[in-house]
């Protein structure tokens, strides 16, 4: 079966000379559809840099990224945005919701970027918010939502357009332990039921039980 995500010998070097930092050092990893992988590691070990290259937000200095078997052509700037829209949903530590938009509008915005018509956006945004247990919060603005609720809106937004790959950078870091577990359980459940590949970066050991596979990162390398 074609891997949902395959990165081969990927490295990222920031700066040069005295400022040279090898943030990610020759990392290879393959994810199948429906698989949840947790990347653990101390601060500064290169987790966010690695996730950014998986998500085609950042170009690797060396190495290749394949999404659904297709090589990502790193040289084509605008095409990368299209690849992101088609393949990838993102979740972040700070939720990154638009404060001036309510829950439903936050999800609709992404649906619009993905080409959903005006008529289909609203019902689809509501369906996704119901899926994450927030059907009663569609009209609420981020400031009216708890941390756990905000992250669930962000999850609904990441699911918009049904991307095959979800990338989450420390999604529970701003949540209490119970809320963090709820979000991770939901991510795992939906990943499995809808066959999405998921990469979660976290240094919370409680996240381990929600992953099929745990990999440790240290000094830019994945520890076997
Ligand atoms: N834009 C950047 N320019 C230079 N160095 C960076 C940049 N981003 C990250 N780094 C460095 O790369 C290393 C890995 O950072 P990062 O990927 O953010 O790690 P983590 O997410 O595990 O904390 C760190 O040493 C960090 O200081
Ligand atoms: Mg980080």
């Amino acid at each position: 079966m074609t891997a949902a995500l395959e990165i081969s010998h990927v490295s990222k070097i920031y700066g040069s000379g005295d400022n040279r930092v090898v943030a990610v050092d020759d990392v290879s990893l393959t994810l199948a559809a429906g698989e949840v992988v947790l990347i653990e590691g101390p601060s500064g070990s290169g987790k966010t840099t690695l996730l950014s290259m998986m998500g085609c937000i950042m170009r690797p200095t060396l190495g290749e990224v394949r999404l659904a078997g297709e090589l990502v052509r790193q040289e084509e700037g605008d095409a990368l945005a299209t690849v992101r829209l088609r393949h990838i949903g993102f979740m972040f530590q700070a939720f990154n919701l638009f404060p001036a938009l309510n829950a439903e509008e936050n999800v609709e915005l992404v649906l619009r970027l993905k080409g959903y018509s005006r008529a289909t956006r609203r019902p689809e945004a509501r369906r996704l918010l119901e899926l994450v247990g927030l059907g009663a919060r569609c009209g609420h603005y981020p400031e009216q939502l708890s941390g756990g609720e905000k992250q669930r809106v962000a999850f609904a937004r990441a699911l918009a357009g049904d991307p095959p790959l979800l990338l989450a950078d420390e999604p529970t870091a701003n949540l209490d332990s119970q809320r963090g577990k709820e979000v991770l359980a939901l991510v795992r459940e939906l990943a499995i039921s809808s066959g999405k590949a998921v990469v979660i970066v976290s240094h919370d050991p409680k996240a381990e039980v929600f992953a099929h596979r745990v990999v440790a990162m240290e000094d830019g390398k994945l520890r076997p």
Side-chain angles (χ1 to χ4, degrees):
M1 212 176 77
T2 310
L5 169 70
E6 184 177 5
I7 57 166
S8 315
H9 302 290
V10 162
S11 296
K12 180 71 186 186
I13 299 166
Y14 293 116
S16 59
D18 286 350
N19 297 320
R20 189 172 184 274
V21 176
V22 183
V24 171
D25 190 0
D26 193 19
V27 168
S28 299
L29 191 69
T30 303
L31 259 90
E35 190 181 21
V36 180
V37 169
L38 179 74
I39 300 180
E40 291 180 333
S43 182
S45 58
K47 306 180 300 296
T48 294
T49 302
L50 181 62
L51 208 67
S52 304
M53 293 190 287
M54 288 174 170
C56 306
I57 291 174
M58 186 185 278
R59 291 175 173 76
T61 310
L62 291 166
E64 287 179 355
V65 178
R66 282 193 161 75
L67 292 167
E70 230 175 285
L71 181 68
V72 176
R73 300 193 176 284
Q74 301 289 349
E75 66 274 16
E76 294 166 16
D78 283 354
L80 273 187
T82 311
V83 168
R84 274 200 301 271
L85 276 178
R86 196 154 41 115
H87 283 276
I88 305 164
F90 293 96
M91 285 170 80
F92 304 94
Q93 174 175 349
F95 321 125
N96 297 20
L97 298 176
F98 290 100
L101 302 180
N102 66 28
E104 187 168 82
E105 290 162 347
N106 265 281
V107 180
E108 276 181 62
L109 183 68
V110 172
L111 290 167
R112 188 166 103 194
L113 292 173
K114 296 196 179 199
Y116 280 63
S117 69
R118 184 181 282 274
T120 56
R121 287 198 295 262
R122 179 76 32 119
E124 179 60 4
R126 294 212 168 145
R127 186 187 74 79
L128 290 167
L129 287 166
E130 272 161 31
L131 201 63
V132 302
L134 289 178
R137 296 279 185 281
C138 290
H140 287 229
Y141 288 83
E143 65 176 20
Q144 301 170 322
L145 298 168
S146 71
E149 288 170 338
K150 276 190 264 211
Q151 197 58 301
R152 280 188 282 151
V153 174
F155 182 39
R157 189 175 63 174
L159 293 172
D162 201 21
L165 176 64
L166 288 183
L167 302 176
D169 197 352
E170 314 246 12
T172 63
N174 284 330
L175 304 180
D176 66 54
S177 148
Q178 184 54 29
R179 255 27 83 189
K181 282 195 229 168
E182 283 167 15
V183 166
L184 292 176
L186 195 61
V187 170
R188 179 188 162 96
E189 179 191 321
L190 288 174
I192 293 171
S193 65
S194 60
K196 292 184 195 310
V198 182
V199 182
I200 300 170
V201 161
S202 177
H203 45 229
D204 179 2
K206 285 190 287 298
E208 287 177 5
V209 298
F210 298 100
H212 296 113
R213 190 150 50 110
V214 179
V215 294
M217 201 164 183
E218 202 178 304
D219 295 335
K221 289 185 194 291
L222 286 192
R223 261 204 327 242

